[in-house]
Amino acid sequence: MTTTAAQDLLPTGQTLDLARAEGERAYALDRAHVFHSWSAQEQITPMTILAAEGSYVWDGAGNRMLDFSSQLVNTNIGHQHPKVVAAIQEQAGKLCTIAPQYVNDARSEAARLIAERTPGDLNRVFFTNGGADANEHAVRMARLHTGRYKVLARYRSYHGGTDTAINLTGDPRRWPNDYANSGVVHFHGPFHYRSHFHSENEQQESERALAHLEQLIRLEGPDSIAAIVLESVPGTAGIMVPPPGYMAGVREICDRYGIMFIADEVMSGFGRTGKWFAIEHFDVVPDLITFAKGVNSGYVPLGGVAISEKIAATFANRPYPGGLTYSGHPLATAAAVATINAMTGEGIIENAARIGTEVLGPGLRELADRHPSIGEVRGMGVFWAIELVADRATREPLAPYGASSPAMNEVIAACKSAGVLPFANFNRIHAVPPCTVTEAEVHEGLTVLDRALDVADGHTV
């Protein structure tokens, strides 16, 4: 592991000894007072982060680690981008906060920049605090626009932790929060590697998944369904890139039955797949796009809904019954303006696309050729999943669905001990570095993954 122990200063300008002392105090206070999400409180030992810069973070001991997780797949422009930090500082000196009913220049400019990049006529932006409430409001808009209540969402998905969003979610985090009264109906999306449809190829998978979806709509009653919510490329659930024709087929089904198509771009948007929005890969225009995370790399909490003209028109003379105290917060939207401008000016989207095509994708496929523990690698841009299996022939996962395993814990520990911070979920390691990642940094991450996968190989049959 690369360490700063012999250096006097961290990127923050602090001495390592002072940073460690502050980190130790922060850890003690955390364990005494902080309630962590998705965790059994007495069973966790959260990592302390002392500093971050670019593609790296420094842990509580001062060890430098390559952030191959982009935290929660949101630091798309890396840590501490100087232009975004400066924009936040400048905005704080001018106007820290203002109520959402008042115009402020940061929010107006952020909305313009986002609208310029959304496909089709999604030219209106409602700002939220994050991705979960973006999905909450998108569903509310669709329900009010259509006068219908039911919403369809796929299994193997994640849409957020608030009430409607967690019920939309298809992964096991929904189960303790699901009382079957949310109006959400789940369906199987395409995932050829673990096909629910016994498909022999991607074309069959697309066709059979669409047939399944349409049958579900007919059985549930088309006139009762307000929206279909889909991650353009599912993120936490496994980065299953939709097969050719699937998203266009969903769009056609929605048009035929008067159902709104909501594209959840919270994780896949703003460069992650090598385009501004992942839905662009499929030449489809949804009725609503939800976003967060990469819009300002999480430097200040921000999310939003990009709204088509037909849905916006519903509320032209009818009040929209929803709002947030911090909608379009000046510090958050100033960070978004700086982020989008940096992405444009520095070719960050193009870098993500090139890295995925020329470096990360080929590198992961080479690992798959060497390691029997890899069942499949899949993804695009800087958005990749490594599916780990105990048996390639049966595709038995290295950890069961909805849980971890000692084998996976060993693989994750091997990554961390070698200086790479991974993103892991169930039986998968996700390779999701910042969109600004360099070729050298990708090779560094792949080298560590190569060694960690030797550990996984030890658990195969």
Side-chain angles (χ1 to χ4, degrees):
M1 180 185 294
T2 304
T3 180
T4 60
Q7 299 177 6
D8 293 328
L9 299 176
L10 291 176
T12 57
Q14 288 177 301
T15 65
L16 185 55
D17 287 343
L18 177 59
R20 282 173 173 162
E22 291 181 354
E24 289 169 2
R25 180 177 185 274
Y27 185 86
L29 291 173
D30 179 285
R31 303 315 298 130
H33 301 295
V34 176
F35 194 93
H36 284 257
S37 56
W38 308 117
S39 301
Q41 305 303 304
E42 297 300 321
Q43 297 179 17
I44 58 173
T45 53
M47 177 183 288
T48 301
I49 300 295
L50 303 179
E53 185 176 59
S55 298
Y56 294 91
V57 299
W58 281 256
D59 71 8
N63 298 307
R64 190 182 77 162
M65 304 185 72
L66 179 64
D67 189 356
F68 237 48
S69 68
S70 297
Q71 294 302 285
L72 288 173
V73 197
N74 64 293
T75 54
N76 288 15
I77 58 167
H79 294 277
Q80 300 299 112
H81 192 291
K83 292 178 182 176
V84 182
V85 172
I88 295 168
Q89 292 170 333
E90 181 182 350
Q91 183 64 44
K94 182 171 65 173
L95 182 69
C96 276
T97 189
I98 199 71
Q101 65 264 36
Y102 301 109
V103 173
N104 75 80
D105 57 353
R107 182 177 63 181
S108 297
E109 181 65 4
R112 180 187 73 83
L113 291 171
I114 293 164
E116 283 183 351
R117 287 157 177 79
T118 53
D121 67 345
L122 283 76
N123 295 320
R124 301 295 185 97
V125 179
F126 176 76
F127 286 108
T128 65
N129 301 328
D133 48 355
N135 284 320
E136 294 271 345
H137 283 279
V139 167
R140 187 180 303 180
M141 291 174 187
R143 284 172 167 165
L144 292 166
H145 174 73
T146 61
R148 305 171 180 179
Y149 190 71
K150 287 182 187 175
V151 180
L152 307 187
R154 68 177 284 171
Y155 292 108
R156 297 185 186 269
S157 66
Y158 181 72
H159 296 287
T162 51
D163 189 62
T164 299
I166 196 63
N167 278 276
L168 290 170
T169 289
D171 82 18
R173 283 174 288 185
R174 181 187 82 255
W175 300 345
N177 301 286
D178 186 349
Y179 299 98
N181 62 357
S182 64
V184 176
V185 180
H186 287 93
F187 62 92
H188 292 283
F191 182 17
H192 185 230
Y193 184 74
R194 299 193 180 280
S195 176
H196 178 76
F197 308 107
H198 310 288
S199 301
E200 297 177 1
N201 53 54
E202 292 259 302
Q203 180 180 346
Q204 279 188 1
E205 184 72 3
S206 179
E207 292 170 352
R208 292 176 183 183
L210 288 168
H212 160 71
L213 175 58
E214 184 158 17
Q215 182 186 45
L216 180 70
I217 289 170
R218 289 174 175 170
L219 292 172
E220 287 291 330
D223 291 343
S224 70
I225 299 167
I228 295 173
V229 183
L230 282 173
E231 293 172 276
S232 299
V233 176
T236 306
I239 312 182
M240 302 88 75
V241 178
Y246 181 75
M247 298 301 266
V250 173
R251 176 73 272 180
E252 191 277 327
I253 289 171
C254 286
D255 290 341
R256 186 146 31 96
Y257 293 111
I259 297 168
M260 298 301 100
F261 184 178
I262 301 173
D264 180 340
E265 293 269 356
V266 170
M267 189 174 283
S268 61
F270 290 95
R272 179 57 51 185
T273 66
K275 290 186 181 289
W276 283 103
F277 294 97
I279 198 74
E280 296 177 71
H281 291 282
F282 313 111
D283 294 322
V284 166
V285 178
D287 300 294
L288 297 156
I289 287 179
T290 58
F291 62 87
K293 293 185 183 287
V295 67
N296 65 3
S297 284
Y299 283 27
V300 183
L302 182 67
V305 185
I307 308 163
S308 65
E309 292 295 341
K310 68 181 179 183
I311 294 180
T314 298
F315 306 103
N317 294 294
R318 170 188 178 184
Y320 173 66
L324 300 141
T325 299
Y326 305 119
S327 176
H329 192 281
L331 295 181
T333 49
V337 170
T339 297
I340 294 169
N341 286 335
M343 284 186 161
T344 303
E346 298 173 20
I348 291 173
I349 308 289
E350 294 81 1
N351 184 69
R354 183 185 63 82
I355 286 289
T357 301
E358 299 179 7
V359 187
L360 186 54
L364 291 172
R365 285 188 280 269
E366 287 179 13
L367 294 183
D369 290 339
R370 291 201 297 275
H371 292 282
S373 58
I374 297 181
E376 182 180 58
V377 297
R378 54 184 180 266
M380 53 176 52
V382 285
F383 203 35
W384 291 80
I386 308 164
E387 182 101 8
L388 297 181
V389 295
D391 186 330
R392 269 189 172 176
T394 65
R395 301 184 178 182
E396 176 190 351
L398 200 61
Y401 181 73
S404 189
S405 68
M408 280 300 299
N409 290 338
E410 288 179 29
V411 175
I412 294 164
C415 290
K416 290 180 178 178
S417 66
V420 166
L421 194 61
F423 184 103
N425 192 41
F426 307 161
N427 67 310
R428 299 181 308 276
I429 299 291
H430 291 189
V432 284
C435 301
T436 52
V437 72
T438 67
E439 290 187 30
E441 290 166 349
V442 171
H443 288 305
E444 178 185 346
L446 291 172
T447 298
V448 170
L449 284 173
D450 195 9
R451 294 198 295 267
L453 289 167
D454 288 336
V455 175
D457 293 342
H459 293 276
T460 60
V461 296

